[in-house]
Amino acid sequence: MLYLIGLGLSSAEDITLRGLKVVQQCARVYLEAYTSILMSASKEDLEKLYGREVILADREMVESSSDSILEDADKVDVAFLVVGDPFGATTHTDLIIRARSLGIPFEAIHNASVMNAVGACGLQLYNFGQTVSLVFFTDNWKPDSFYDRIKENRRIGLHTLVLLDIKVKEQSFENMARGRKIYEPPRYMNIETAASQLLEIEDLRNEQAYTEDTPCVSVSRLGSPGQKFVAATLGDLADIESGEPLHSLVILGHRTHEMEIEYLLDFATDKNKFQKAVETEVESAKELQPPAPVDEDND
């Protein structure tokens, strides 16, 4: 059996009791080590808790050498550990498709992920639209496919969760071209960089999907004892110090409920400014609404 096991968001102990029992019975245990990290636990911490060796599975192994992970999984139990929930990244769906093709049974053991835990900032999960990812820009590569998704969400008033890039075991173009197995130090996008990149694309596209006055919430170290939320305009978030990773960002939609705003105001750097930004969003949305239909006289 192949088991895909969610680890939760922060510490080694965030694994479910069922997940822990399964890990301890498995012949091999892999830790997916590139889509996210456990903020308060190392590989050694996991091994100490599990009483098992943990094999780090980088992007290359999972996407190009999945046969090594699935080897004999039809005869023995194999665990594939994922920070958050097993279905938080499409890569893990690909692994299941591969297992199916080989006739290997599989089971998922779920856990908390950013996709549901983000509700801790006070925004209701029902009011979220499409989730987008934001990657680190380079001098000549600034992908903006996320922009249209945000624009679609904002058009119908829904919040947008923006997942920020992490770079783990990445090679420079030069080392890649020369075939040298030399990797760059890990990098984790912070709120300041994310807000600046979002505004840079708005300046280029100029379609008013959002502006520097759009109300947002920064989400830092979600699920850890040091988690922190900051409610401010996108422009203000470009200047804050967000601290240690991991980070995410939420762009508010105009269908914001009064209870959401009341909850968020405790996290606002400037309560009056944030309240005004939200009210402006709501009023602007009303101006865009089509006029109510009028019943015409049959005569």
Side-chain angles (χ1 to χ4, degrees), residues 20-272:
L20 178 59
K21 288 180 178 179
V22 169
V23 167
Q24 292 173 335
Q25 75 184 30
C26 286
R28 297 194 309 278
V29 180
Y30 294 91
L31 172 63
E32 188 264 81
Y34 64 92
T35 60
S36 191
I37 60 168
L38 273 178
M39 291 174 284
S40 304
S42 65
K43 171 178 175 289
E44 291 71 27
D45 293 330
L46 299 183
E47 290 177 328
K48 182 178 180 180
L49 177 63
Y50 304 158
R52 291 296 232 243
E53 177 190 6
V54 174
I55 304 166
L56 291 180
D58 58 19
R59 184 185 298 273
E60 182 179 356
M61 175 184 284
V62 177
E63 295 184 352
S64 304
S65 304
S66 60
D67 286 348
S68 63
I69 298 173
L70 298 174
E71 184 178 1
D72 295 330
D74 56 337
K75 303 180 182 68
V76 298
D77 290 331
V78 175
F80 185 75
L81 310 180
V82 180
V83 176
D85 186 81
F87 292 100
T90 55
T91 296
H92 313 134
T93 305
D94 292 341
L95 185 63
I96 289 176
I97 292 173
R98 179 62 178 155
R100 279 177 175 168
S101 70
L102 296 172
I104 297 171
F106 66 89
E107 184 175 344
I109 299 177
H110 298 284
N111 210 319
S113 77
V114 64
M115 303 291 283
N116 54 20
V118 70
C121 75
L123 295 174
Q124 298 169 5
L125 296 180
Y126 293 111
N127 289 337
F128 278 79
Q130 302 168 87
T131 298
V132 303
S133 297
L134 183 64
V135 301
F136 281 109
F137 289 172
T138 66
D139 290 339
N140 51 16
W141 188 63
K142 299 180 180 181
D144 64 353
S145 58
F146 65 84
Y147 186 87
D148 294 318
R149 301 286 188 274
I150 296 174
K151 188 176 179 180
E152 290 172 5
N153 287 344
R154 299 259 298 154
R155 183 180 295 122
I156 57 176
L158 298 179
H159 311 314
T160 303
L161 172 61
V162 184
L163 303 178
L164 309 189
D165 198 10
I166 71 172
K167 297 289 188 186
V168 179
K169 202 176 180 182
E170 297 280 340
Q171 291 177 279
S172 67
F173 289 118
E174 180 182 355
N175 286 329
M176 191 181 300
R178 294 176 180 272
R180 296 185 298 209
K181 296 293 185 179
I182 300 175
Y183 301 99
E184 301 292 298
R187 288 194 298 153
Y188 307 94
M189 186 181 291
N190 57 27
I191 297 297
E192 307 93 289
T193 300
S196 297
Q197 288 190 180
L198 287 166
L199 290 171
E200 182 178 354
I201 295 301
E202 177 55 52
D203 286 342
L204 293 171
R205 295 283 294 265
N206 195 30
E207 298 173 24
Q208 299 292 295
Y210 48 81
T211 72
E212 63 179 15
D213 295 321
T214 298
C216 298
V217 185
S218 74
V219 181
S220 299
R221 298 167 295 281
L222 182 64
S224 76
Q227 76 176 14
K228 183 178 181 180
F229 307 114
V230 177
T233 63
L234 187 58
D236 286 345
L237 289 179
D239 296 322
I240 73 162
E241 172 56 52
S242 53
E244 294 296 313
L246 295 169
H247 305 286
S248 301
L249 180 69
V250 180
I251 301 173
L252 269 64
H254 63 76
R255 286 166 52 182
T256 309
H257 192 274
E258 291 180 2
M259 188 178 296
E260 292 178 293
I261 300 305
E262 181 180 356
Y263 198 104
L264 283 176
L265 283 175
D266 276 346
F267 306 132
T269 55
D270 184 326
K271 289 181 170 56
N272 291 331

